[in-house]
Structures are given as C-alpha cells and as structure tokens.
C-alpha cells in the first residue's frame, strides 16, 4: 500500500462557508510530502532543505475536490511518485475519508523541480533521492 | 482590460525555502475573486454568502507557477470568466509582477459549483450572477 | 500530569526569518484546546460548536515566547484550566520541546467567554462544561 | 495621528464559529508592522531582514479582543512605538472599525528583540532604527 498519513481538519482550516478553505488542501498535500520523506524515505524533510540543500518548488498543480470537509473530519492522505524526470518529480495524492475507504475526498498531483535551496539554481534530481524513491516504489510493487 | 487586484506578498506568506508557500497562491486566487465580486460585479462577496445564500466551492483546480515570489513582491492578479455552465463557473487567473507586464508569475483556473450556503444543495447558477458576469464580459469586449 | 498534545512544526509554519511565525503559536494553543476537549474531556470540539451550540471566543491573551522554533521541531503543548468564572474560562498553555522537559518554548494564557454559537449571545459557562472541567482537574490532583 | 494601515477581513480569515480566527489578529499586527516600516519609516521590511540583516522576533505579547469581526469588515490598525530598550522594542496596536472611530476592535502590544537575521545573535537596537523611530515619534508630537 502506498504511504499514507493521517490529517485532522482543524477549527482554523474552516472558511466562511463552513467547510475546509480549498487552499488548505494544498497545505494537506504538503504535510503529506513532509511525512512521506520522514516515514517513506527515512529522510527528514528539514534535512533535505538545510543539510542536503535541496528545495522542491511546485511548478504545476492539478486537483479535484470530490467532497467537502468539515471540522473534525479526518483523512488519510496517500502519496505516490508518478514520475521522476531529469530535473522534476511528479507526485500524486489521494485523500480518503477515515473509516470509509470508498470515499475519496480529494485527488491531485503536482510537479516539483529540483533547485539548490540556497541559490535556487535548477539541478538534476539528486542520485540519493532517485535511489530512495526507487527503493520505495519497489517495496510497493512487492506487496 | 480584465479585472485586476493588487496583492502584496507578506512576511507570513513565506515558507522555509524563502519563497511564497505554494498553497498561498490559491489564497491569492481567492482574494482576487473576493475583490472581483466587489469591484467587478458590484456585489459584496460576504453578501453573496449571507444575503443571497450562495457558496461557490471549488471542484477542480489547475495552476502553473512560473516564477518564485519573495517577501515584498507585488502582483496584479487578473480574474477572467472562462465559462458559465448550468451549475458551474470556470474562473481564470493570471498574476503579473507589478511594473513588469511581461512577467507572468502564476496562471490557473478553477471550476466552482453553485450550492446553497446553508444546506450545500447544488443549484443552477443564479440568474443575477449570470447577468452580472455577462454584463461584465460585454464591458470587456467593448474596450 | 496535565493534558498534553504533540505538535510538529511544519514547513508552512515558518516565516521569512526562518522560524515559526509567531501568530502560529496562537494556532498551536487552539489546536491544543481542540485536542483537550476530545482527549481530556471526552467531548469533540466540533460537537461543542454544532451540537451544544457553544463557542468560546478569546477576549484576552498573554504569551511569552522563550525559544525560537524551526521546521521539524516538535513540542508537547500542555493545557491547564486556570479559572472558571461565571461566563468565562481562563486557559493556560505551556509548550515543551519534545525530549527536553526543561526547555519551555512558549507559555501563555487566554480568557474565553461563553456565547451561543448561532447568535453570539453571552451565556454562563454551561453546567456540563463546569462538571467536565472539574472532573478533569480532580483527576489531576489525585495523580 | 499615529501610523495606520487598512486591513480587510478576508474569507479565509474566518473560522468555524463564523468570526475571525483569533490568531489572525496577530497576523494583522504583523501586517501593520510591515506597512509601518514602509510607510512610517520609509524602509522596506524585506530590506530590514535581507539587506540590514535584522530580525525582530516577538518575546512577549498581550492582546484584548473587544469585538468579533466578520468577513468583509475593515479595520484601521494603528501602530505605536511604546518603548525603545537596549535590545528590545515594544510596539502598540489598536484596531478601529472603519467608519466608526469609537469602535475599538482589538488592542495589544508586543515586545520584539533585535537579532541578526542570519545567526539570531542578540544585538542592540541599531542606531538607524532608533533614529527612524525617534524621528517618526517627533513628527507625531508636532501634529
């Protein structure tokens, strides 16, 4: 099964229509990536930035919002690696309502490019990251 | 010229890579919609929600991020009406760096559906909104 | 021991000085209250709002920030009940850096008043909440 | 009259009780400081951080919330300099509802310390900042 992390909708995520403010879903995507690095790759995302000098700014995003969320809802956000390019990685996300596997709340993907965190110079996807992602994906295939 | 609103990148919009946290761009899109209702249609967005009982949750989003933004940058965010469906509206956004018309920072569009704000029952795009959007678009065509 | 909840500093909490944007600490206080209701009182905070029709707007706040926090830091936020007035409750917060009990990151308290969530009419602290808070405090005393 | 900046309550500032999420008021305080540097002192706050290498983390905060705010409300946030210490500055804030000078929405003050933005080493309030603040305060006195 692909990596998943649990996210609770908090009081402050709610907007004036009484549901999750939709930019917060992108924040949930990012939280999931942070957890994926720690839990799926075994590399702290803060270390990616500050020790390995790699940042992953988003250059493209698509998302479908299938269900409105309310305060107190919990979702399991799944992270997948859709593509590893020469300088970019495409990440997929799928959020399931907890306790209801059939109920997809949000789906999306984004493309991030690799840049040096200090200079923002574009670089190739580092070898350590390619290896980490491939090992992770092979583990998934074996399951 | 299409409706534009100026947005300043504030200190708190910046993330740990030193640039605008990408979910904030979706917040900028929303700020632009709020200003568009007031400035382009002459209807306060709070009144749309609370007096006209209409909410516009987003069901689909696509966005391209062409340029990183830093604290203090200012963008002019343009709002366009791309399509008016039976129950949905497609909005387009284009953010230009202030003082550099050639420099597109972000582009995107989202699809919102019309629901009653109190019950979230799906409804047709209200006639007052269709008329407002059409009048706005005709004004643009004449320029 | 008083109720505690663990909070992880996320990428998006960081500001342009590279540390947690200080308004996020108030968000952490609120997250802790949300968890306190669920974990300390056994009442979901969403139900407090939407089933029991009670909201707890803050009217006064004081806080001391003793240590800067960075992305990836984790704190245990403690919630205490300092005072139960006729219409108000005073809550205390103390955030400890995880794995370092001596290291207090942030301390503060706020005063919330009880209002009906639908009308914002000021009301007395409800009996069910007084009882819940007292039972919680007695449990602490016995430890 | 002390420096003031106008802040509009946006859709995303609202919480699940239908009013401004109280940590957003601290964000408003910070927005006001950012505008104060640009408009009151003539120094861009981004330049303070990145050219003058000065950051101003908050070490103490007190605030009173006198009135709930809703989406669409506008406030004029006033910034005052309460005290200039050797390494700290105390800032005062007072938010007025626009078009109703009698209606104070929020009041507060915070103490910031001066540190180097790159190393977070504590430093004395820089001379250029003392001079700027004093000139600003003298201008106020003459009015």
């Amino acid at each position: 099964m692909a990596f998943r992390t649990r996210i609770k909708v908090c009081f402050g995520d709610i907007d004036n229509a009484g549901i999750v403010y939709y930019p917060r879903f992108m924040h949930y995507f990012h939280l999931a990536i942070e957890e994926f690095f720690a839990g799926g790759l075994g590399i702290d995302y803060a270390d990616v930035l500050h020790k390995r000098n790699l940042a992953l700014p988003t250059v493209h995003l698509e998302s479908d919002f299938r269900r409105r969320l309310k305060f107190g809802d919990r979702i399991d956000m799944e992270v997948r690696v859709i593509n590893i390019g020469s300088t970019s990685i495409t990440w997929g996300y799928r959020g399931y309502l907890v306790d209801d596997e059939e109920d997809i709340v949000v789906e999306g993907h984004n493309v991030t490019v690799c840049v040096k965190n200090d200079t923002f110079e574009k670089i190739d996807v580092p070898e350590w990251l390619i290896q980490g992602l491939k090992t992770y994906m092979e583990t998934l295939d074996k399951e």
Side-chain angles (χ1 to χ4, degrees), chain A residues 16-74:
Chain A
N16 200 21
I19 59 173
V20 167
Y21 187 45
Y22 88 83
R24 296 298 286 175
F25 281 101
M26 274 74 246
H27 175 63
Y28 295 168
F29 288 173
H30 205 283
L31 286 180
I33 283 284
E34 295 169 36
E35 293 299 320
F36 170 77
F37 268 85
L41 299 184
I43 304 163
D44 205 69
Y45 196 72
D47 291 344
V48 171
L49 290 163
H50 301 301
K51 292 192 180 156
R52 294 174 190 253
N53 194 26
L54 176 68
L56 298 169
T58 291
V59 294
H60 180 72
L61 168 74
E62 293 184 32
S63 188
D64 288 288
F65 308 87
R66 305 206 182 284
R67 192 185 184 289
R68 64 183 187 273
L69 284 180
K70 288 186 282 195
F71 172 38
D73 283 342
R74 294 167 305 148

Side-chain angles (χ1 to χ4, degrees), chain A residues 55-110:
Chain A
L56 298 169
T58 291
V59 294
H60 180 72
L61 168 74
E62 293 184 32
S63 188
D64 288 288
F65 308 87
R66 305 206 182 284
R67 192 185 184 289
R68 64 183 187 273
L69 284 180
K70 288 186 282 195
F71 172 38
D73 283 342
R74 294 167 305 148
I75 56 174
D76 283 328
M77 187 69 83
E78 187 180 275
V79 176
R80 283 163 302 122
V81 181
I82 292 177
N83 186 58
I84 305 175
S86 57
T87 59
S88 70
I89 303 165
T90 305
W91 310 86
Y93 311 90
R94 196 175 285 138
Y96 301 88
L97 202 67
V98 167
D99 301 329
D100 189 347
E101 197 63 13
E102 304 302 302
D103 209 339
I104 295 177
V105 170
V106 63
E107 272 187 298
H109 66 267
N110 70 335

